[in-house]
Amino acid sequence: MQPFTKQMITDALDAREFKYFEDADGDIGGNFQGNLIYFFRIGQQQEVLQVRAMVQHLFGMDEVPRLYEFCNAWNHDQLFPKAYVHVNDDGTVLVVGEVISDWEKGVTPEQLDQVIIAAVATSVQLANEVAELRQSS
């Protein structure tokens, strides 16, 4: 076990040959099949990994009840990512997926790799199901 660091995130992404970027705030993100996925370190000592996936498909405000229904069903049936509806300032609506792991006591590179690969894979699965929902509207 070792303290959870930003370098561990980039090492895990590099080992999988995932393409990623670091934004102006120092946050790490990547484009995975058209979906923006961020790898945030949060918490008092940045000991928590939050993998947040912003699904690429946008909806209108009139779709919010259907999206709530979709997210509730997804969260009932899937362990992760947890899905929720997000309304942007411009009135567009999207589904966001989130996986959180708390490593206050430390983490091994193997543990981090497993969470990252599972978070990315299931987030892409979520995005694919949202795409089907989008096509049926």
Side-chain angles (χ1 to χ4, degrees):
M1 294 280 237
Q2 59 193 69
F4 176 52
T5 65
K6 184 178 181 178
Q7 185 66 47
M8 290 181 76
I9 296 171
T10 58
D11 288 349
L13 295 171
D14 287 339
R16 292 272 178 185
E17 298 183 357
F18 288 157
K19 303 285 185 228
Y20 61 90
F21 59 85
E22 188 172 329
D23 69 14
D25 295 326
D27 297 319
I28 300 165
N31 183 319
F32 295 86
Q33 296 184 13
N35 304 287
L36 185 58
I37 300 179
Y38 271 99
F39 306 88
F40 295 111
R41 290 175 58 228
I42 61 174
Q44 286 184 327
Q45 288 134 9
Q46 295 191 331
E47 74 282 10
V48 176
L49 171 67
Q50 178 190 52
V51 181
R52 187 182 310 157
M54 279 68 88
V55 174
Q56 67 178 318
H57 303 285
L58 295 176
F59 296 83
M61 287 296 292
D62 58 327
E63 296 286 340
V64 168
R66 191 164 74 114
L67 293 174
Y68 281 147
E69 185 178 307
F70 169 83
C71 289
N72 285 341
W74 173 273
N75 292 337
H76 179 269
D77 296 338
Q78 303 296 325
L79 181 59
F80 52 80
K82 290 305 172 199
Y84 59 91
V85 176
H86 178 80
V87 178
N88 294 316
D89 291 341
D90 66 0
T92 58
V93 181
L94 70 149
V95 173
V96 177
E98 183 177 81
V99 174
I100 294 181
S101 297
D102 185 343
W103 287 312
E104 180 180 354
K105 304 294 184 191
V107 62
T108 67
E110 295 79 14
Q111 288 171 317
L112 179 60
D113 175 66
Q114 285 301 304
V115 169
I116 286 177
I117 193 65
V120 168
T122 58
S123 293
V124 168
Q125 178 186 355
L126 171 66
N128 290 341
E129 292 198 25
V130 170
E132 289 177 23
L133 190 66
R134 179 81 177 121
Q135 291 171 355
S136 69
S137 61

